């Protein structure tokens, strides 16, 4: 009986610890946002010595009220626990960036700073907070429950939020660009003479590919308000238009994190448009897709953090765009429904996969 009492008590203590994690989970992103806005990751990133003392860090913070400098070690303690900074005790309290912390520095080539700030934007947070209301109303998305219009309509009407969104997508594109032109992915573009980056935004990915492959003509297709007055140079061109109306003809079409924004029906429609714009497989025609292939944590090799991120992303896509992330079987069905004959998962890019499909 005594053992049973101990077991019940331990279970209760563990459940309470888990509940406190849920209750206080808002503190983590708040502290990260504070660090970004104060410029802490940037200060450490730019510092000649990778390890920086607390007094030097405090002295480097712009516009900090001196009476509140004693709070900085409290903030840093939380962020060390979050895995963004390393703590070193040499002559005093010293800090350095971890690999994850470097991704929050503005000038890091693979920075996630803009994407993090987008995720903390009130427009996004208020959408997530309205899910229970959405489940009781007739709107197709929680975004429309909260803001009265779709995400894309809101972006078209609110240039400030549209800019935050596009900057975030561009920062994600820089990370993907670095992977695409690395040895693990370069072969995907070899032999191509032309490529259309559909929904390519401000052209971050296309520019990287165009620079890495000077003989490859790259075209960025996106909506007029996204393209704006951008002009191409050399082997890079910008075209304003809707991907559902017409896609320029090319050897290959790139869809980077596009299809997860759309329903199955719209994806099939878009893939059919892509198929119309490329030559046969024998002539080198293909569609290159960078998107998530949903995993589950039943596999021993699964990365638990990536699996959780995939499930969170699936949740976000459903409440924001009435779309979803997909498993490999669901992708295969879309490809076949759109008239493609074959597909290949080329490689994993962390959260996402690189997939080639052939007509």
């Amino acid at each position: 009986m005594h053992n049973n009492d101990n077991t019940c008590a331990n279970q209760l203590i563990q459940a309470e610890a888990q509940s406190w994690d849920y209750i206080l989970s808002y503190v983590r992103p708040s502290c990260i946002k504070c660090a970004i806005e104060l410029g802490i990751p940037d200060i450490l990133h730019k510092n000649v010595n990778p390890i920086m003392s607390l007094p030097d860090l405090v002295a480097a913070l712009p516009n900090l009220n001196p009476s509140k400098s004693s709070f900085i070690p409290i903030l840093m303690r939380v962020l060390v626990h979050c895995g963004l900074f390393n703590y070193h005790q040499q002559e005093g309290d010293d800090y350095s960036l971890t690999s994850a912390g470097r991704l929050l520095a503005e000038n890091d080539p693979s920075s996630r700073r803009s994407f993090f700030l987008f995720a903390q934007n009130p427009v996004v947070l208020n959408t997530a907070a309205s899910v229970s209301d959405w489940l009781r109303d007739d709107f197709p998305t929680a975004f429309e429950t909260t803001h009265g219009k779709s995400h894309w309509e809101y972006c078209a009407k609110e240039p400030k939020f549209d800019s935050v969104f596009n900057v975030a997508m561009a920062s994600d594109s820089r990370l993907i660009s670095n992977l695409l032109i690395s040895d693990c992915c370069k072969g995907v573009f070899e032999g191509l003479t032309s490529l259309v980056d559909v929904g390519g935004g401000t052209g971050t990915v296309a520019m990287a590919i165009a620079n890495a492959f000077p003989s490859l003509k790259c075209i960025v297709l996106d909506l007029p308000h996204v393209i704006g007055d951008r002009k191409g140079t050399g082997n890079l061109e910008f075209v304003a238009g809707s991907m559902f109306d017409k896609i320029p003809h090319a050897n290959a079409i790139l869809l980077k994190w596009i299809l997860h924004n759309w329903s199955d029906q719209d994806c099939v429609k878009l893939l059919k448009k892509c198929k119309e714009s490329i030559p046969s497989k024998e002539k080198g025609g293909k569609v290159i897709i960078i998107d998530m292939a949903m995993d589950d944590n039943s596999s021993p090799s699964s990365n638990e953090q990536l699996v959780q991120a995939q499930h969170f992303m699936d949740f976000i896509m459903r409440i924001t765009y009435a779309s979803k992330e997909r498993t490999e079987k669901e992708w295969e069905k879309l490809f076949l429904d759109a008239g493609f004959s074959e597909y290949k998962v080329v490689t994993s890019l962390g959260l996402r996969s690189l997939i080639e499909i052939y007509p």
Side-chain angles (χ1 to χ4, degrees):
M1 201 64 168
H2 181 67
N3 287 338
N4 286 340
D5 287 346
N6 282 342
T7 300
C8 290
N10 289 336
Q11 288 175 343
L12 179 58
I13 289 168
Q14 180 58 41
E16 186 199 24
Q18 194 170 354
S19 71
W20 277 120
D21 183 57
Y22 300 150
I23 292 164
L24 298 174
S25 61
Y26 73 94
V27 175
R28 187 182 298 112
S30 298
C31 288
I32 296 171
K33 184 170 183 279
C34 174
I36 289 173
E37 291 175 342
L38 289 175
I40 293 174
D42 296 313
I43 290 167
L44 288 167
H45 191 261
K46 293 172 185 173
N47 198 45
V48 175
N49 188 338
I51 298 176
M52 194 172 193
S53 71
L54 178 63
D56 287 346
L57 176 60
V58 170
L61 294 175
N63 305 316
L64 180 68
N65 186 326
S67 70
K68 296 174 182 174
S69 60
S70 62
F71 185 76
I72 299 304
I74 309 303
L75 175 66
M76 294 301 289
R77 183 172 64 192
V78 173
L79 295 170
V80 166
H81 190 266
C82 290
L84 298 180
F85 304 111
N86 296 309
Y87 174 69
H88 311 271
Q89 200 164 19
Q90 295 176 345
E91 296 179 5
D93 294 337
D94 303 304
Y95 301 95
S96 64
L97 283 170
T98 63
S99 297
R102 268 193 293 277
L103 293 183
L104 296 178
E106 188 170 16
N107 292 327
D108 188 89
S110 301
S111 177
R112 310 293 283 159
R113 177 183 182 276
S114 299
F115 212 114
F116 179 86
L117 293 175
F118 163 70
Q120 293 301 303
N121 189 286
V123 173
V124 176
L125 294 178
N126 291 340
T127 298
S130 71
V131 172
S132 58
D133 294 329
W134 167 62
L135 290 170
R136 293 188 287 257
D137 67 27
D138 295 324
F139 287 105
T141 66
F143 194 97
E144 287 161 277
T145 295
T146 310
H147 305 291
K149 52 179 71 74
S150 74
H151 176 272
W152 306 115
E153 291 168 337
Y154 192 91
C155 283
K157 297 285 186 182
E158 300 289 341
K160 188 175 180 181
F161 177 73
D162 185 53
S163 175
V164 171
F165 174 72
N166 283 317
V167 169
M169 294 305 106
S171 77
D172 182 65
S173 294
R174 280 191 293 274
L175 185 149
I176 290 295
S177 298
N178 292 335
L179 293 171
L180 285 180
I181 61 175
S182 67
D183 290 341
C184 70
C185 298
K186 256 189 169 181
V188 170
F189 303 102
E190 287 174 356
L192 297 178
T193 57
S194 56
L195 173 81
V196 179
D197 184 2
V198 172
T202 55
T204 304
V205 172
M207 278 187 253
I209 296 171
N211 288 334
F213 297 92
S215 61
L216 175 58
K217 180 182 178 183
C218 295
I219 301 168
V220 179
L221 173 70
D222 215 313
L223 295 170
H225 75 270
V226 176
I227 296 295
D229 58 359
R230 288 181 174 83
K231 304 295 181 188
T233 55
N235 60 328
L236 180 67
E237 180 183 346
F238 287 89
V239 174
S242 169
M243 60 190 179
F244 288 106
D245 292 336
K246 186 180 180 183
I247 297 173
H249 288 271
N251 281 147
I253 290 171
L254 176 65
L255 297 170
K256 183 196 80 70
W257 234 10
I258 298 297
L259 296 174
H260 79 155
N261 288 324
W262 301 94
S263 67
D264 288 350
Q265 183 179 359
D266 285 331
C267 283
V268 169
K269 181 180 176 184
L270 176 55
L271 287 169
K272 285 181 176 179
K273 285 286 178 187
C274 292
K275 190 168 179 285
E276 291 171 3
S277 299
I278 58 174
S280 66
K281 180 185 176 184
E282 292 70 29
K283 294 182 179 179
K286 64 182 177 181
V287 178
I288 304 162
I289 296 169
I290 299 170
D291 227 311
M292 196 179 297
M294 288 277 285
D295 197 358
D296 62 56
N297 48 15
S298 61
S299 168
S301 62
S302 295
N303 181 316
E304 189 177 337
Q305 283 184 308
L306 285 180
V307 171
Q308 178 175 267
Q310 288 180 342
H311 291 310
F312 285 166
M313 188 62 72
D314 183 48
F315 178 87
I316 291 165
M317 300 314 296
R318 290 173 189 269
I319 68 170
T320 307
Y321 307 101
S323 61
K324 62 182 180 180
E325 303 298 347
R326 295 173 174 90
T327 63
E328 187 173 335
K329 284 187 179 298
E330 289 173 317
W331 282 119
E332 182 179 26
K333 185 176 188 307
L334 281 186
F335 302 152
L336 294 174
D337 288 349
F340 287 84
S341 60
E342 188 183 341
Y343 79 95
K344 177 173 68 175
V345 179
V346 178
T347 188
S348 169
L349 301 174
L351 190 67
R352 288 156 288 192
S353 296
L354 193 153
I355 306 168
E356 289 184 345
I357 60 175
Y358 311 100

